[in-house]
Amino acid sequence: QVQVVESGGGLVQPGGSLRLSCAVSGSVFRITVMGWYRQYPGKQRELVASITSGGNTNYADSVKGRFTISRDNAKNTEYLQMDSLNPEDTAVYYCYARNLVNSAYWGQGTQVTVSS
């Protein structure tokens, strides 16, 4: 059984920072891509950032220069460092992982709220 556990969400003031973490455990069989999505109320999930096992990264235009994704392949763990947060970043953030046989795994979601 696969477990995907997220942590690090919360309330932060505009201009502040948060760091999200996600650990994938169980029989996942070689994770290739990991990433973060976010979802606004009534909207579909949108990609925030992704990273391959080789370290290639991809970011949504809205977070480039402010967010940094990283991962520890040995621990099947990924991180999202979010700096210069603004109220438009308020959403539920979901961890995502895909393995070599294209099975996808999702976290339970963590709320990020940017407000003064």
Side-chain angles (χ1 to χ4, degrees):
Q1 189 171 355
V2 176
Q3 284 190 317
V4 183
V5 180
E6 302 167 0
S7 61
L11 173 65
V12 64
Q13 291 188 340
S17 298
L18 280 176
R19 187 184 193 223
L20 305 182
S21 300
C22 174
V24 182
S25 61
S27 301
V28 295
F29 186 56
R30 294 187 63 184
I31 291 176
T32 53
V33 178
M34 301 187 81
W36 293 91
Y37 282 69
R38 65 187 178 188
Q39 189 169 24
Y40 300 106
K43 303 288 186 181
Q44 288 189 333
R45 290 181 193 181
E46 62 180 39
L47 177 68
V48 176
S50 64
I51 184 169
T52 68
S53 56
N56 293 319
T57 58
N58 180 47
Y59 294 94
D61 287 343
S62 59
V63 307
K64 282 180 181 176
R66 301 188 298 121
F67 291 10
T68 304
I69 189 170
S70 60
R71 65 187 281 179
D72 183 333
N73 290 332
K75 296 180 180 179
N76 283 337
T77 300
E78 64 166 333
Y79 309 93
L80 186 68
Q81 177 66 40
M82 304 185 292
D83 298 318
S84 301
L85 285 160
N86 59 61
E88 290 69 39
D89 296 315
T90 296
V92 178
Y93 285 70
Y94 293 90
C95 168
Y96 164 82
R98 190 173 76 235
N99 68 7
L100 200 60
V101 294
N102 270 336
S103 294
Y105 306 99
W106 291 91
Q108 77 282 4
T110 185
Q111 177 70 46
V112 171
T113 302
V114 184
S115 175
S116 55

